[in-house]
Structures are given as structure tokens and as C-alpha cells.
């Protein structure tokens, strides 16, 4: 099992709530954390998601090219140098070379853009996700985020990433979205939902995310229900992915007590 989980804040993004809760929240602007999760195990370090590509946010020309206001009416995320992965790793006393696995929930820009900061690592991603991303099936994919010489290990179905760390298929938001069940030495396991559930509201009311692959709301809702069933059977805590209040409270408290 894992020794601990750390939620790393890699940026924030202000946008209309409908992007997180489909057909709900028109006109309501929320501030969403963009997180990566460092999972430390006796067998090595696993990083779940990698945040955004800092250069695309900090460089005005790249920002204009990738965050076209017609496509991104709420603008680019906010991200500082101190929120980049190398800065997080340095504060924790290691470098990207000390990671054993990078596991991507999916390949949208706010989850895969930071691959440039972990180049050389083995990267696990669902094969259907990589195919959809390369076909740019929605505007959330930035092809140059994942077109470098990355060591992709394409996966199918569910599997054990490391003892006590299990990949869970949760398609719907994207074609090959994956969540992660993490067993811990103390307390209950944690289910990292990824964007299968941005907010606590998605889980409590079984509301699909705003963007659904090929408009498959049914698939997205079934993945939410699957996570809830798994949480009940494993007595696991569900961690939604873009919920600011949950990150500031539950995640921080959980990290302190692991």
C-alpha cells in the first residue's frame, strides 16, 4: 500500500460552473484548483496528473495561440513558477528523475500539459484516451502537450499500478479517463476521482461534468455511480478534483494525518 498522498496545487482556473456541472450553474463563476497528486509507496513515487504547461500561460504569444478567447472565454489558468512541478519536487527534496511512474487521468491541457516538466518518466495513459487526444476530439486537448518523445505505456482496462494503487476506468468526461484507488497504512483508502467528478456536487447529485465525450452523459453518470459503489465497498474517501473548498479542507487535513 501507499505511504501517503500529497495534493500539489499547480495552478487555479476561474470559469463558469457549467464546465464542471453539466447544465447547472450558468452565470456562476468558480475558482477551481488544478492539482497533481504525489503518491509515495514502498516501491517508489507515482504522480497522478501533471497540471498545465507553464510556458503556454506565461509567454504572451503562446498564451494567445493556445487560449483563444473564442474557445476559452474565461481565459487561461493562473499559474506561477512556484506552482510548477519542479518547484514542488525541490521543496520535497527530489527531482523528476526520482519519479517511478506518471499516471495520467486524461490528456486535457490542465492534466497533461506539465509532461514537459517530467520528460523521461514512464507515462501511463489509457490507449483510448491517447487515440482521442491525438484525434483532438475536443478543444481541451493541446496536441503539442503530448507529442514529444514521451515514454507512453498505453493501457487497456483496469490494473494494479503498484501494490495498493489501482487504476479504475471511469470514461465519460473523456474516452479513456482513469481514476485511482489508493490504499493507505492508516485510515480509509482514497479514491482520486480525476475529472470524473470535479466537485462534491457531481458525486452527491450524480451530475456529469460539463464536457462529456461525444455527449455521452450516460457514460459519465455511470462512472460517477461506479466510483460511489467502489467507495462504499472499499470504505474509501472520494476526492473530487476541482473543488476548492474540498482541497483547502479535506485534502490538507488528510495529508496531515497520513
Amino acid at each position: 500500500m501507499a505511504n501517503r498522498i500529497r495534493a500539489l496545487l499547480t495552478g487555479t482556473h476561474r470559469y463558469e460552473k457549467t464546465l464542471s456541472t453539466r447544465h447547472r450553474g450558468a452565470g456562476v463563476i468558480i475558482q477551481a484548483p488544478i492539482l497533481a497528486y504525489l503518491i509515495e509507496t514502498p516501491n517508489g513515487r507515482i504522480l497522478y496528473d501533471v497540471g498545465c504547461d507553464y510556458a503556454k500561460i506565461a509567454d504572451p504569444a503562446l498564451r494567445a495561440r493556445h487560449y483563444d478567447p473564442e474557445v476559452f472565454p474565461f481565459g487561461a489558468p493562473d499559474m506561477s513558477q512556484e506552482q510548477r512541478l519542479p518547484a514542488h519536487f525541490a521543496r520535497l527534496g527530489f527531482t523528476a528523475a526520482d519519479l517511478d511512474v506518471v499516471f495520467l487521468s486524461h490528456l486535457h491541457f490542465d492534466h497533461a500539459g506539465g509532461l514537459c516538466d517530467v520528460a523521461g518518466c514512464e507515462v501511463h495513459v489509457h490507449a483510448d484516451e491517447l487515440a482521442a487526444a491525438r484525434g483532438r476530439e475536443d478543444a481541451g486537448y493541446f496536441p503539442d502537450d503530448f507529442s514529444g518523445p514521451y515514454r507512453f505505456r498505453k493501457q487497456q482496462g483496469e490494473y494494479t499500478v503498484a501494490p495498493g494503487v489501482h487504476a479504475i476506468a471511469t470514461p465519460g468526461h473523456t474516452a479513456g479517463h482513469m481514476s485511482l484507488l489508493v490504499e493507505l497504512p492508516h485510515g480509509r483508502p482514497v479514491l482520486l476521482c480525476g475529472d470524473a467528478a470535479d466537485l462534491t456536487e457531481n458525486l452527491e447529485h450524480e451530475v456529469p461534468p460539463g464536457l462529456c465525450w461525444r455527449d455521452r452523459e450516460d457514460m459519465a453518470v455511470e462512472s460517477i455511480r461506479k466510483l460511489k459503489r467502489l467507495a462504499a465497498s472499499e470504505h474509501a474517501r472520494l476526492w473530487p478534483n476541482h473543488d476548492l473548498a474540498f482541497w483547502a479542507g479535506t485534502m490538507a487535513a488528510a495529508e496531515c494525518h497520513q
Side-chain angles (χ1 to χ4, degrees), residues 7 14 88 153 167 192:
R14 284 175 53 83
H88 280 293
R153 181 174 170 184
L192 300 175

Side-chain angles (χ1 to χ4, degrees), residues 30-229:
I30 64 173
Q31 182 91 343
I34 299 173
L35 298 167
Y37 302 89
L38 179 66
I39 303 158
E40 299 171 339
T41 83
N43 300 87
R45 296 182 177 94
I46 301 167
L47 187 68
Y48 180 69
D49 286 346
V50 294
C52 300
D53 179 357
Y54 177 72
K56 293 185 179 71
I57 295 171
D59 181 280
L62 291 176
R63 185 184 180 105
R65 184 189 312 163
H66 289 87
Y67 295 99
D68 182 339
E70 292 192 8
V71 181
F72 293 91
F74 305 104
D78 293 313
M79 184 181 182
S80 67
Q81 281 277 11
E82 292 71 28
Q83 291 173 321
R84 292 182 67 176
L85 291 174
H88 280 293
F89 299 159
R91 286 190 288 271
L92 294 171
F94 67 94
T95 70
D98 298 307
L99 293 171
D100 294 276
V101 172
V102 172
F103 182 98
L104 297 180
S105 64
H106 61 302
L107 289 166
H108 280 167
F109 68 92
D110 54 335
H111 297 264
L115 279 174
C116 55
D117 284 329
V118 293
C121 296
E122 179 177 277
V123 180
H124 289 213
V125 66
H126 196 286
D128 291 347
E129 182 65 18
L130 190 57
R134 285 175 171 165
R136 204 170 188 191
E137 294 207 17
D138 65 62
Y141 296 119
F142 292 173
D144 58 352
D145 280 347
F146 45 84
S147 61
Y150 298 117
R151 296 170 53 206
F152 285 119
R153 181 174 170 184
K154 293 185 283 186
Q155 303 291 345
Q156 292 281 3
E158 301 184 344
Y159 63 102
T160 296
V161 184
V165 182
H166 310 285
I168 308 299
T170 48
H173 175 57
T174 62
H177 188 280
M178 299 293 286
S179 303
L180 213 57
L181 174 65
V182 183
E183 299 171 20
L184 295 163
H186 306 291
R188 297 158 59 191
V190 167
L191 251 175
L192 300 175
C193 297
D195 280 11
D198 281 8
L199 309 177
T200 301
E201 181 179 339
N202 295 95
L203 295 164
E204 290 180 346
H205 299 285
E206 298 183 356
V207 181
L211 179 64
C212 293
W213 178 65
R214 298 182 180 177
D215 288 325
R216 288 292 305 273
E217 293 184 34
D218 60 323
M219 184 182 287
V221 170
E222 175 51 34
S223 286
I224 290 170
R225 291 172 177 166
K226 177 180 180 177
L227 288 171
K228 292 172 71 173
R229 290 194 300 269

Side-chain angles (χ1 to χ4, degrees), residues 18 112 187:
T18 51

Side-chain angles (χ1 to χ4, degrees), residues 14-26:
R14 284 175 53 83
Y15 55 75
E16 189 177 73
K17 186 169 173 279
T18 51
L19 293 179
S20 285
T21 51
R22 196 169 177 88
H23 309 312
R24 287 191 181 194

Side-chain angles (χ1 to χ4, degrees), residues 4-15:
R4 69 182 302 168
I5 303 174
R6 298 178 188 269
L8 309 179
L9 183 66
T10 68
T12 58
H13 201 184
R14 284 175 53 83
Y15 55 75

